[in-house]
Short mmCIF file of all heavy atoms in Angstrom, two decimals:
data_model
loop_
_atom_site.label_atom_id
_atom_site.label_comp_id
_atom_site.label_asym_id
_atom_site.label_seq_id
_atom_site.Cartn_x
_atom_site.Cartn_y
_atom_site.Cartn_z
N GLN J 643 127.11 136.75 46.36
CA GLN J 643 125.68 136.33 46.00
C GLN J 643 124.86 136.39 47.33
O GLN J 643 125.43 136.31 48.43
CB GLN J 643 125.70 134.90 45.52
CG GLN J 643 126.29 134.61 44.19
CD GLN J 643 126.34 133.20 43.74
OE1 GLN J 643 126.56 132.21 44.62
NE2 GLN J 643 126.08 132.98 42.45
N GLY J 645 122.83 134.09 49.27
CA GLY J 645 122.62 132.61 49.24
C GLY J 645 123.77 132.09 48.31
O GLY J 645 124.66 132.65 47.85
N CYS J 646 123.46 130.81 48.04
CA CYS J 646 124.42 129.97 47.15
C CYS J 646 123.80 128.67 46.72
O CYS J 646 123.03 128.13 47.48
CB CYS J 646 125.72 129.77 47.99
SG CYS J 646 126.92 128.81 46.98
N ARG J 647 124.07 128.36 45.46
CA ARG J 647 123.24 127.12 45.04
C ARG J 647 124.23 125.85 45.06
O ARG J 647 123.86 124.76 44.52
CB ARG J 647 122.66 127.23 43.64
CG ARG J 647 123.71 127.61 42.55
CD ARG J 647 123.09 127.65 41.21
NE ARG J 647 123.99 128.22 40.27
CZ ARG J 647 123.86 127.84 38.90
NH1 ARG J 647 122.89 127.11 38.58
NH2 ARG J 647 124.67 128.46 38.22
N MET J 648 125.44 125.91 45.56
CA MET J 648 126.37 124.88 45.50
C MET J 648 126.05 123.89 46.67
O MET J 648 126.56 122.70 46.43
CB MET J 648 127.85 125.44 45.72
CG MET J 648 128.38 126.41 44.66
SD MET J 648 128.30 125.60 42.96
CE MET J 648 127.65 126.76 42.00
N GLY J 649 125.49 124.19 47.60
CA GLY J 649 124.97 123.19 48.63
C GLY J 649 126.03 122.39 49.41
O GLY J 649 125.84 121.25 49.67
N CYS J 650 127.18 123.04 49.63
CA CYS J 650 128.23 122.40 50.40
C CYS J 650 127.67 121.96 51.88
O CYS J 650 127.01 122.82 52.54
CB CYS J 650 129.47 123.13 50.65
SG CYS J 650 130.03 123.75 49.00
N ALA J 651 127.98 120.69 52.21
CA ALA J 651 127.28 120.20 53.45
C ALA J 651 127.65 120.86 54.80
O ALA J 651 127.00 120.86 55.73
CB ALA J 651 127.61 118.70 53.64
N PHE J 652 128.77 121.64 54.74
CA PHE J 652 129.34 122.13 55.95
C PHE J 652 129.04 123.60 56.03
O PHE J 652 129.55 124.28 56.93
CB PHE J 652 130.88 121.94 56.01
CG PHE J 652 131.62 122.45 54.71
CD1 PHE J 652 132.06 123.65 54.44
CD2 PHE J 652 131.76 121.45 53.71
CE1 PHE J 652 132.51 124.08 53.41
CE2 PHE J 652 132.32 121.82 52.48
CZ PHE J 652 132.79 123.15 52.18
N CYS J 653 128.23 124.17 55.12
CA CYS J 653 128.10 125.60 54.92
C CYS J 653 126.76 126.09 55.30
O CYS J 653 125.68 125.57 54.75
CB CYS J 653 128.53 126.04 53.54
SG CYS J 653 128.28 127.71 53.24
N GLU J 654 126.59 127.07 56.12
CA GLU J 654 125.34 127.82 56.50
C GLU J 654 124.67 128.38 55.31
O GLU J 654 123.55 128.27 54.98
CB GLU J 654 125.62 128.77 57.55
CG GLU J 654 124.42 129.21 58.25
CD GLU J 654 124.04 128.32 59.50
OE1 GLU J 654 124.82 127.53 59.82
OE2 GLU J 654 123.04 128.66 60.16
N THR J 655 125.50 129.10 54.44
CA THR J 655 125.00 129.84 53.38
C THR J 655 124.43 128.83 52.21
O THR J 655 123.36 129.18 51.71
CB THR J 655 126.01 130.49 52.50
OG1 THR J 655 126.83 131.30 53.45
CG2 THR J 655 125.55 131.54 51.48
N GLY J 656 124.86 127.63 52.24
CA GLY J 656 124.35 126.74 51.24
C GLY J 656 122.95 126.33 51.71
O GLY J 656 122.10 125.85 50.69
N THR J 657 122.57 126.38 52.81
CA THR J 657 121.20 125.92 53.25
C THR J 657 120.15 126.89 52.64
O THR J 657 118.96 126.67 52.65
CB THR J 657 121.00 125.99 54.69
OG1 THR J 657 121.13 127.34 55.31
CG2 THR J 657 121.97 124.92 55.44
N MET J 690 135.07 135.41 49.61
CA MET J 690 134.86 134.10 50.36
C MET J 690 133.66 134.27 51.34
O MET J 690 133.66 133.42 52.13
CB MET J 690 136.16 133.95 51.14
CG MET J 690 136.73 132.60 50.96
SD MET J 690 138.36 132.48 51.93
CE MET J 690 139.60 132.63 50.78
N GLY J 691 132.90 135.26 51.21
CA GLY J 691 131.68 135.30 52.01
C GLY J 691 130.49 134.57 51.44
O GLY J 691 130.79 133.47 50.91
N MET J 692 129.44 135.04 51.51
CA MET J 692 128.16 134.23 50.92
C MET J 692 128.30 134.20 49.49
O MET J 692 128.57 135.18 48.74
CB MET J 692 126.87 134.98 51.29
CG MET J 692 126.67 135.20 52.80
SD MET J 692 125.40 136.34 53.19
CE MET J 692 123.98 135.49 52.59
N GLY J 693 128.17 132.92 48.98
CA GLY J 693 128.14 132.78 47.43
C GLY J 693 129.47 132.14 46.93
O GLY J 693 130.24 131.98 47.59
N GLU J 694 129.12 131.74 45.64
CA GLU J 694 130.34 131.18 44.89
C GLU J 694 130.70 132.13 43.79
O GLU J 694 129.99 132.31 42.87
CB GLU J 694 129.86 129.73 44.28
CG GLU J 694 130.62 129.27 43.13
CD GLU J 694 132.10 129.15 43.36
OE1 GLU J 694 132.46 128.59 44.49
OE2 GLU J 694 132.92 129.60 42.58
N PRO J 695 131.96 132.71 43.95
CA PRO J 695 132.27 133.89 43.07
C PRO J 695 132.23 133.45 41.63
O PRO J 695 131.92 134.21 40.67
CB PRO J 695 133.65 134.22 43.49
CG PRO J 695 133.68 133.87 44.94
CD PRO J 695 132.76 132.63 45.13
N SER J 725 137.77 132.88 45.79
CA SER J 725 137.71 131.66 46.29
C SER J 725 136.68 130.85 45.51
O SER J 725 135.66 131.40 45.08
CB SER J 725 137.35 131.71 47.80
OG SER J 725 137.05 130.39 48.16
N THR J 726 136.91 129.60 45.13
CA THR J 726 135.87 128.88 44.38
C THR J 726 135.91 127.38 44.85
O THR J 726 136.90 126.83 45.35
CB THR J 726 136.28 128.86 43.01
OG1 THR J 726 135.40 128.08 42.13
CG2 THR J 726 137.58 128.33 42.61
N VAL J 727 134.67 126.78 44.67
CA VAL J 727 134.62 125.39 44.79
C VAL J 727 135.10 124.45 43.74
O VAL J 727 135.21 123.29 43.80
CB VAL J 727 133.13 124.86 45.07
CG1 VAL J 727 132.58 125.50 46.38
CG2 VAL J 727 132.24 125.30 43.88
N SER J 750 138.43 125.68 47.19
CA SER J 750 137.91 125.04 48.42
C SER J 750 137.87 123.51 48.18
O SER J 750 137.05 123.14 47.47
CB SER J 750 136.43 125.62 48.55
OG SER J 750 135.92 125.24 49.76
N ASN J 752 138.61 120.45 50.55
CA ASN J 752 137.90 119.79 51.67
C ASN J 752 137.93 118.35 51.74
O ASN J 752 137.56 117.81 52.72
CB ASN J 752 136.44 120.34 51.73
CG ASN J 752 136.53 121.97 51.76
OD1 ASN J 752 137.27 122.48 52.49
ND2 ASN J 752 135.60 122.58 51.05
N MET J 763 130.64 118.14 48.84
CA MET J 763 130.38 119.17 47.94
C MET J 763 129.85 118.68 46.62
O MET J 763 130.58 118.14 45.72
CB MET J 763 131.70 119.94 47.58
CG MET J 763 132.52 120.35 48.88
SD MET J 763 134.13 120.92 48.59
CE MET J 763 133.73 122.51 47.79
N CYS J 869 134.34 130.72 59.05
CA CYS J 869 134.13 130.24 57.82
C CYS J 869 132.96 129.25 57.60
O CYS J 869 132.79 128.51 58.47
CB CYS J 869 135.39 129.49 57.29
SG CYS J 869 135.35 129.09 55.56
N GLY J 870 132.01 129.43 56.66
CA GLY J 870 130.85 128.63 56.48
C GLY J 870 129.79 128.92 57.44
O GLY J 870 128.64 128.27 57.43
S1 SF4 U 245 131.03 126.93 50.93
FE1 SF4 U 245 130.81 128.54 49.42
S2 SF4 U 245 130.31 127.45 47.57
FE2 SF4 U 245 129.83 126.01 49.25
S3 SF4 U 245 127.64 126.39 49.77
FE3 SF4 U 245 128.96 127.74 51.17
S4 SF4 U 245 128.99 129.64 50.07
FE4 SF4 U 245 128.41 128.11 48.59
#
Side-chain angles (χ1 to χ4, degrees):
Q643 296 178 314
C646 180
R647 62 178 172 150
M648 296 297 142
C650 303
F652 49 86
C653 174
E654 194 88 2
T655 311
T657 63
M690 231 178 251
M692 299 163 72
E694 160 56 46
S725 168
T726 177
V727 288
S750 182
N752 308 315
M763 306 175 72
C869 188

